[in-house]
Amino acid sequence: MNLPAEHPLNTGATGASLLVLNMRGHRTSPLPVWFMRQAGRSLPEYRKLREGIAMLDSCLTPELVVEITLQPVRRHGVDAAIFFSDIVIPLKLAGLDVDIKPGVGPVLENPVRTKEAADALRLIDGDAFAPITTAVGMLVKELASTPLIGFGGAPFTLASYLIEGGPSKELPHSREMMRNQPELWAQILNWCADITAQFISAQVVAGASALQVFDSWAGRLSPDEYETFAKPYSERLFSQLALLVDKDGVPVPRVHFGVGTESLLESMHEVGATVMGIDSNTDLERASALFTNKVPLQGNISTELLTANWETLAEHTDEVIASGLNAPGHVVNLGHGVPPETDPDVLTRITEYIHRTTT
């Protein structure tokens, strides 16, 4: 699917940005930086804006989405904005009764665990994406040459909420379905792949210059389990996202990220990612070697060191940059999302430091 002529990647607005260049394998000096979960809980201006407003309502109110997405760009001077939303928004748009409870996470009143419930699942009607595309359009105008990153959840992670009914580290219902109802498992995960492809594609066509797929729970799987129960459905998702190309036929960068997934990195790349996000448990040099130093990387400053003294954090940042030198491109980021208790001034200081560092 060719992007519209007015898309920032086609007009030249973002194609030469530090982020897009590195994601496409063209290393720059300085390197680009942004932070997962930069739009949200660590910012006092975000907490004030969200007072009394439910999370999913915030995600579907374009004016709020725009302001929240822009807040960290203004404050920190990062090289990309990440679209403010949630991976369960596609479930909401598809008509499911999903909510996000503070301190808990996504919950569903009626989890999908039967063939009857799975048969009732439908793709998202195109008109339902109006709040998403409206917000992206507004953001692209505000951001100008700063790229916007679209995102969504990998089928395995999205399905875990759908089947469990909420966050679960042990995933008992999902594991039971994997073992005893593989056809039902496949039906549900194929649907999760397709609605997430709709969700991310809507963001990209409307103006996002890159995309990231989060597989937050993939690290709970062994390599064999990932190959059988997650990889085929991520391949289904990424095969649809691979159709998003600019006027020259160059694909929109596709980042894949999971937590605790060092043993899965090669498989996660094989699903169709063009950039690999690396968590803090994996050295970037070791990760790059897995891909024979041919895949751009993103990561991986430890969130645990965000509260350390500046000398320690600066030294760690230097180590992260040095460890990524073999990759053809490197987007500096955290190894996980910004913790809510993070001092925003620390993120600003890291950003300034990286922008002063030449490689």
Side-chain angles (χ1 to χ4, degrees):
M1 179 191 306
N2 288 337
L3 301 177
E6 65 275 14
H7 192 281
L9 287 175
N10 285 332
T11 64
T14 59
S17 64
L18 297 181
L19 181 94
V20 173
L21 285 173
N22 278 272
M23 284 188 172
R24 285 179 166 174
H26 305 291
R27 177 175 286 273
T28 62
S29 182
L31 296 172
V33 56
W34 70 279
F35 305 105
M36 290 183 287
R37 287 188 185 160
Q38 65 186 15
R41 303 171 298 175
S42 67
L43 299 181
E45 56 265 42
Y46 165 81
R47 294 193 294 270
K48 182 177 180 180
L49 188 63
R50 277 280 320 281
E51 284 179 2
I53 304 174
M55 175 64 178
L56 295 185
D57 290 340
S58 300
C59 295
L60 295 172
T61 305
E63 293 76 14
L64 279 176
V65 171
V66 170
E67 175 58 22
I68 294 169
T69 302
L70 290 175
Q71 284 175 347
V73 180
R74 293 195 205 104
R75 179 187 271 264
H76 306 312
V78 286
D79 297 294
I82 179 76
F83 187 66
F84 177 74
S85 192
D86 193 274
I87 67 168
V88 300
I89 284 291
L91 302 181
K92 181 82 169 177
L93 297 180
L96 275 69
D97 185 13
V98 60
D99 194 11
I100 296 181
K101 290 188 176 180
V104 178
V107 294
L108 283 94
E109 188 71 25
N110 299 296
V112 177
R113 299 174 187 164
T114 66
K115 183 71 163 62
E116 181 182 23
D119 287 344
L121 298 173
R122 297 289 181 267
L123 293 179
I124 303 169
D125 183 274
D127 293 341
F129 288 111
I132 307 298
T133 56
T134 297
V136 172
M138 295 166 65
L139 277 165
V140 167
K141 290 179 181 177
E142 291 283 343
L143 288 166
S145 61
T146 300
L148 175 68
I149 302 170
F151 86 101
F156 176 78
T157 289
L158 187 60
S160 74
Y161 293 114
L162 187 62
I163 295 166
E164 300 298 332
S168 170
K169 291 185 178 181
E170 301 305 321
L171 305 172
H173 297 287
S174 301
R175 290 188 177 280
E176 188 280 330
M177 192 181 294
M178 289 180 212
R179 288 192 302 268
N180 301 322
Q181 302 180 82
E183 291 183 359
L184 179 58
W185 176 261
Q187 180 181 352
I188 292 173
L189 268 79
N190 281 332
W191 180 78
C192 288
D194 291 346
I195 62 166
T196 298
Q198 287 185 285
F199 178 55
I200 297 176
S201 295
Q203 296 170 57
V204 173
V205 171
S209 294
L211 64 92
Q212 177 158 321
V213 174
F214 291 82
D215 210 346
S216 306
W217 294 107
R220 309 299 298 180
L221 298 174
S222 70
D224 286 345
E225 288 173 332
Y226 182 84
E227 288 285 330
T228 303
F229 298 114
K231 186 176 182 179
Y233 313 104
S234 287
E235 287 177 330
R236 183 181 178 111
L237 168 60
F238 274 87
S239 68
Q240 295 177 67
L241 300 177
L243 301 176
L244 300 165
V245 298
D246 67 16
K247 59 182 174 59
D248 297 317
V250 180
V252 173
R254 304 184 297 274
V255 187
H256 201 187
F257 173 76
V259 180
T261 52
E262 180 171 346
S263 65
L264 309 178
L265 287 176
E266 291 170 282
S267 290
M268 290 178 69
H269 176 249
E270 289 167 357
V271 305
T274 63
V275 182
M276 287 302 299
I278 310 297
D279 73 7
S280 301
N281 296 322
T282 306
D283 177 74
L284 292 182
E285 184 175 6
R286 187 164 67 248
S288 188
L290 291 174
F291 311 119
T292 63
N293 300 321
K294 294 179 180 177
V295 176
L297 300 181
Q298 179 175 278
N300 62 352
I301 296 170
S302 173
T303 56
E304 294 180 2
L305 292 181
L306 294 178
T307 55
N309 62 64
W310 173 248
E311 290 73 18
T312 299
L313 182 53
E315 181 179 356
H316 173 60
T317 301
D318 289 338
E319 291 170 350
V320 167
I321 292 172
S323 68
L325 285 174
N326 290 337
H330 181 192
V331 177
V332 184
N333 207 309
L334 303 179
H336 205 313
V338 176
E341 65 276 10
T342 303
D343 179 353
D345 290 342
V346 171
L347 299 180
T348 303
R349 193 170 184 181
I350 292 173
T351 303
E352 293 171 345
Y353 184 76
I354 291 167
H355 286 161
R356 293 195 306 269
T357 302
T358 56
T359 59

